[in-house]
Amino acid sequence: MPLMILVDADACPVKEEVYKVAFRHAVPVTIVSNSPIRVPAHPLIARELVGSAFDAADDWIAERADAQTVVVTADILLADRCLKNGAAVLAPNGRPFTTASIGGAIATRAIMADLRAGGDVIGGPPPFSKTDRSRFLSALDETLLRLKRRG
């Protein structure tokens, strides 16, 4: 089975970087979103517009993610679902989600949700930076190379 990249695209800040690396490796990309997103007219790029139902994009991605897939998402619960299917998962800042790290990420997410529900004012993640963008480019390139060698 060929490699593919699935992008949880509605709020993804690294779509252009995904295209750049995908073109270099000749790996197809599917941009999955709830609302229309402009994508390059290129045979390697596909757009999947899912319904507006809660988790429609997540469900579409998780159903297709497997050991030949790189998923790009900041959604921790989607990352967990995709890891369980054998996919490689990268956050837009280039940090990989792994089977070893996902439990801690889910626990932290739950704690933060509890704090917000209790009225605590907590800051969000730091602003997306050039370093994050660079780290993502390297991580995606390395991940595709690793999957190709394994493949």
Side-chain angles (χ1 to χ4, degrees):
M1 287 184 54
L3 293 177
M4 69 175 165
I5 301 169
L6 300 176
V7 180
D8 184 10
D10 283 311
C12 180
V14 291
K15 290 185 283 295
E16 294 300 322
E17 289 76 5
V18 170
Y19 305 145
K20 180 179 179 179
V21 175
F23 294 158
R24 187 173 342 126
H25 288 276
V27 173
V29 175
T30 302
I31 299 297
V32 184
S33 64
N34 298 105
S35 58
I37 292 178
R38 187 176 303 204
V39 300
H42 191 281
L44 286 175
I45 308 298
R47 179 177 60 192
E48 184 66 34
L49 186 60
V50 297
S52 59
F54 184 73
D55 279 347
D58 294 3
D59 292 343
W60 195 96
I61 292 168
E63 288 167 7
R64 288 156 182 83
D66 62 22
Q68 292 297 105
T69 308
V70 178
V71 175
V72 178
T73 185
D75 183 321
I76 294 166
L77 298 181
L78 174 58
D80 182 47
R81 292 172 67 187
C82 294
L83 286 169
K84 288 176 181 171
N85 292 340
V89 184
L90 292 174
N93 65 7
R95 300 213 189 274
F97 289 103
T98 66
T99 54
S101 69
I102 196 70
I106 291 170
T108 300
R109 178 186 180 278
I111 291 167
M112 299 305 277
D114 286 347
L115 290 171
R116 284 190 297 275
D120 291 323
V121 178
I122 52 177
F128 196 75
S129 69
K130 287 182 182 179
T131 303
D132 293 328
R133 197 170 302 280
S134 176
R135 186 182 316 115
F136 176 80
L137 279 166
S138 294
L140 181 57
D141 191 65
E142 291 168 12
T143 301
L144 289 173
L145 288 171
R146 179 174 41 85
L147 292 177
K148 283 181 176 182
R149 281 192 302 267
R150 183 179 76 190

